[in-house]
Amino acid sequence: MKRLRFLLCFRGIKGLGYLCKDPVSLAALTRVSGCRAVNTKMALFDTKEKSKAGNRASAVVSRISQVFLPLWRWVEPNLAYFMATRQPTLWVMGLIAGLLAGAATILFREGIAMIQYLWLAEMSEFVATAARLQPWWIILIAPAIGGLIVGLMLEYMLPSKRAFGVADVIEARVGTARRIPFRQALGSALVSIVSLGFGASTGREGPVVHLGAAISSYLGEKLALDGKGYRTLLGCGVAAAVSASFNAPIAGVLFAHEVILGHYAASAFVPIVIASVAGTVLSRLYFGETAAFIIPDYQITSYWEFPAFAILGVVCAIVAIGFQVSLIGSDWFARRFAIKLWLRPVIGGFMIGAIACFYPEILGVGYEATNQALYGLMTLETLLILLVLKTAATAISLASRFGGGVFSPALYLGAMAGGAFGLIAASVFPEFASSGGVYSIIGMGAVSAAVIGAPISTVLIVFELTGGYTLTIALLVTVAIAHGLTQAFHGRSFFHWQLEMRGLFVQDGPHRYVVKNTLVREVMRSVPDDTSEEIFDPASGAMYLREGDSLESALRAFDASGDQFIAVVSGTKTLKVSGYIWQVDALRRFNSALIRVSEEEHR
């Protein structure tokens, strides 16, 4: 034992502690020897081993960081934007909005069928066939009774005294602080249900689009979404409503982007697709997977027909322009007469009933007559008569304050115009002309695209409504010509015309909307309350503005005067200075609005 202690303590044998790698054995030796040198060697051994392990870990971390740090620097801002814009929330809310809008669309369609059953004893789309089985006096009186109900609902249920539609959704989209009142939307939907159920010659897409948007607006308000998130959620409700109403999911997505949002931003695409698919699945589970119009397997007979398709585009443009002019003119004519609000739909209902006594095809949405035109089952005379009568009936319905939209009537008119053109073309060039049903399908897309100002989504709607994808080239040519000529003549869609009647010029772009709808009171610097009242002297020749003036007026005033700030006054005889608007503030507001719109449209 003494010998062992001597060896352990002897300084010359420095490597003895490393001969034993086992800590247990080394501890035993330490207890035996009692020598501090062993403990010292053991500590040095542990320190070196830890240092080596640490160096290896540092090397691994360094290699990982060299690989993944540039990737993280690339992903991190995108992920931060993804979370800052609340995309996960929008995806979930898109699903919820799609399901709710789809369910609301189903209830809307069933409500129309139930009211229709009260006087036609029929809940399907075969309205004209059922009307022919009823006495003439029922067809004459029933729309007027429905008009009385609609008039009373407008008088006592809706503060706006009118039903809502697609234009109101666009208005909610362009006004960031505007929300769609949910109760008023429900009231408007009920008005449209009663209107269509009693035979008003309108469409159902406008009311369901507004109802779906109202549901999304309610959800967005509860979640306190910002302007961009709110507008995206609006698009979700619209896409689900369109897809559930027409069994057309792709068209629902494009309609929401093209008509409502006015752009194809990537951040809005995913939630809108989710909503559209959810609405379609719910609708197909309830109504089945069949398209709205079932047509034969049509083919284009010859490529020599394309000049005829181009001419059809011109004809459809004339029909679309005439339709819009009739809607605008009848609305202007109705406003010229001081008639009680509840009486307007009654008079309009009598007029619709009088027409339907002879041609019941004009009642309601008119899908039965449209199907007959697609199958080529109507004569040239009937097609031309229904073309004129449906235009008149829709104009009367909307001018009389019945609820409903214009998309289904536009499809109807396009089918009639295309069918008539096809019969004429077949009589002139029988060896080249395709079936009249082909021209009816193409006419549907051309007239409706020209009326609502949405050529891309309309082409997809026609594809999905008819299930006919073989007529793509001809449909694109006809739609493009009809849309272009309508824009050249009228300059705007029917929805944009409705907005311009309210002073909203969305058609001119975001810069025009900003300067026309931003008021001076939103930009000016108010005078503090504790300062003495300042009186403005108009005789001084200095420029002045009022709080209700537009930003456009302010920018023009700055340009004319060259001043850096202009007084904002109130009062009539004595002008009191309520604040000042600075040119730099006006320009900052204008530029920031344009930047915000540009970012939203491109991300």
Side-chain angles (χ1 to χ4, degrees):
M1 182 65 66
K2 291 181 180 179
R3 180 76 175 174
L4 180 60
R5 289 176 181 173
F6 173 78
L7 290 174
L8 290 174
C9 295
F10 188 67
R11 291 179 176 269
I13 307 177
K14 296 182 179 179
L16 187 59
Y18 298 99
L19 294 177
C20 185
K21 301 292 184 180
D22 185 7
V24 177
S25 302
L26 193 58
L29 289 174
T30 303
R31 285 194 301 270
V32 172
S33 65
C35 180
R36 297 180 180 178
V38 175
N39 287 329
T40 302
K41 298 295 183 179
M42 177 180 174
L44 291 173
F45 170 75
D46 290 341
T47 302
K48 290 182 179 180
E49 289 297 321
K50 290 179 181 179
S51 177
K52 292 179 181 179
N55 292 335
R56 287 194 297 269
S58 299
V60 172
V61 171
S62 177
R63 293 192 191 99
I64 293 175
S65 64
Q66 289 176 2
V67 175
F68 289 100
L69 187 58
L71 179 62
W72 172 250
R73 288 175 179 173
W74 175 271
V75 173
E76 192 271 335
N78 301 320
L79 185 61
Y81 179 83
F82 180 81
M83 300 304 295
T85 54
R86 304 177 68 177
Q87 286 295 307
T89 302
L90 287 176
W91 290 14
V92 175
M93 297 313 298
L95 176 62
I96 296 173
L99 294 174
L100 292 178
T105 302
I106 293 172
L107 292 175
F108 185 88
R109 293 178 61 176
E110 290 299 297
I112 294 173
M114 292 173 62
I115 293 179
Q116 178 183 302
Y117 185 82
L118 297 177
W119 63 292
L120 292 178
E122 177 64 53
M123 296 182 68
S124 70
E125 301 284 357
F126 297 98
V127 176
T129 301
R132 286 193 174 91
L133 301 176
Q134 303 299 324
W136 67 270
W137 57 270
I138 291 181
I139 306 303
L140 177 64
I141 296 176
I145 295 175
L148 178 60
I149 299 173
V150 168
L152 295 176
M153 294 173 71
L154 292 175
E155 190 74 53
Y156 299 105
M157 184 183 295
L158 293 178
S160 62
K161 309 302 181 184
R162 63 175 179 85
F164 300 112
V166 177
D168 299 280
V169 182
I170 300 175
E171 183 177 356
R173 186 264 298 174
V174 298
T176 55
R178 184 179 175 85
R179 297 294 185 263
I180 301 177
F182 187 66
R183 290 186 178 180
Q184 291 189 31
L186 288 179
S188 174
L190 289 175
V191 168
S192 298
I193 288 173
V194 175
S195 300
L196 290 165
F198 277 102
S201 187
T202 57
R204 67 187 179 208
E205 90 294 331
V208 296
V209 163
H210 185 267
L211 184 58
I215 293 172
S216 296
S217 177
Y218 178 81
L219 295 175
E221 189 174 1
K222 292 300 180 182
L223 290 174
L225 294 176
D226 61 0
K228 180 179 180 179
Y230 171 77
R231 287 185 286 273
T232 299
L233 203 55
L234 273 186
C236 292
V238 169
V242 171
S243 61
S245 180
F246 295 114
N247 194 11
I250 302 176
V253 172
L254 292 180
F255 184 89
H257 281 89
E258 189 174 20
V259 178
I260 304 301
L261 297 183
H263 61 74
Y264 291 91
S267 59
F269 183 76
V270 175
I272 289 177
V273 168
I274 292 173
S276 183
V277 171
T280 304
V281 169
L282 200 61
S283 176
R284 290 183 178 181
L285 288 174
Y286 191 87
F287 294 112
E289 298 188 7
T290 58
F293 304 108
I294 309 300
I295 62 172
D297 186 17
Y298 286 132
Q299 300 290 334
I300 297 176
T301 301
S302 171
Y303 285 110
W304 291 103
E305 284 187 273
F306 273 84
F309 295 139
I311 298 173
L312 177 59
V314 177
V315 172
C316 290
I318 295 173
V319 172
I321 292 169
F323 181 50
Q324 292 186 73
V325 170
S326 67
L327 296 178
I328 297 169
S330 60
D331 182 77
W332 177 86
F333 184 78
R335 294 175 187 271
R336 300 277 293 178
F337 293 92
I339 303 175
K340 291 186 179 298
L341 178 62
W342 65 269
L343 190 58
R344 288 181 181 272
V346 176
I347 297 174
F350 268 120
M351 297 173 69
I352 295 169
I355 299 174
C357 286
F358 301 95
Y359 290 93
E361 290 86 355
I362 60 98
L363 291 171
V365 178
Y367 278 180
E368 182 184 2
T370 305
N371 256 321
Q372 291 178 355
L374 296 178
Y375 272 90
L377 301 178
M378 291 184 175
T379 64
L380 177 61
E381 180 184 3
T382 303
L383 290 169
L384 294 176
I385 290 174
L386 290 180
L387 178 65
V388 175
L389 293 182
K390 184 66 173 181
T391 301
T394 304
I396 292 170
S397 298
L398 293 178
S400 302
R401 303 294 180 89
F402 279 107
V406 298
F407 184 69
S408 294
L411 291 174
Y412 185 110
L413 296 177
M416 300 302 154
F421 183 88
L423 291 178
I424 296 173
S427 64
V428 177
F429 301 104
E431 66 276 12
F432 296 123
S434 300
S435 169
V438 172
Y439 288 91
S440 290
I441 295 173
I442 296 173
M444 283 174 56
V447 174
S448 55
V451 170
I452 69 174
I456 299 175
S457 56
T458 303
V459 168
L460 265 297
I461 287 175
V462 173
F463 281 161
E464 293 185 291
L465 284 181
T466 60
Y469 289 86
T470 59
L471 311 176
T472 308
I473 304 176
L475 181 61
L476 287 174
V477 169
T478 310
V479 166
I481 293 174
H483 175 71
L485 291 178
T486 304
Q487 289 294 312
F489 180 88
H490 197 56
R492 57 190 55 78
S493 69
F494 178 72
F495 303 141
H496 288 150
W497 170 81
Q498 289 179 307
L499 292 174
E500 289 180 9
M501 293 299 100
R502 308 171 195 175
L504 297 175
F505 297 88
V506 183
Q507 179 80 3
D508 297 333
H511 62 287
R512 294 288 295 169
Y513 176 81
V514 170
V515 296
K516 282 185 173 294
N517 296 279
T518 302
L519 302 181
V520 168
R521 68 168 61 95
E522 303 174 32
V523 187
M524 73 176 193
R525 304 180 188 181
S526 301
V527 176
D529 296 334
D530 55 353
T531 58
S532 58
E533 190 175 84
E534 184 180 354
I535 305 300
F536 183 83
D537 184 12
S540 63
M543 285 279 188
Y544 67 91
L545 295 166
R546 294 187 178 273
E547 295 183 15
D549 290 339
S550 65
L551 183 61
E552 181 181 26
S553 301
L555 292 175
R556 290 185 181 278
F558 283 121
D559 183 63
S561 64
D563 297 330
Q564 294 183 347
F565 61 90
I566 296 176
V568 181
V569 302
S570 60
T572 53
K573 294 183 179 180
T574 303
L575 301 181
K576 302 176 182 178
V577 177
S578 56
Y580 293 90
I581 180 171
W582 290 71
Q583 185 179 23
V584 64
D585 294 340
L587 292 175
R588 184 184 296 114
R589 179 63 174 270
F590 180 65
N591 292 332
S592 62
L594 293 183
I595 291 171
R596 185 182 66 249
V597 171
S598 179
E599 289 179 348
E600 180 175 337
E601 292 179 356
H602 291 87
R603 294 205 64 170

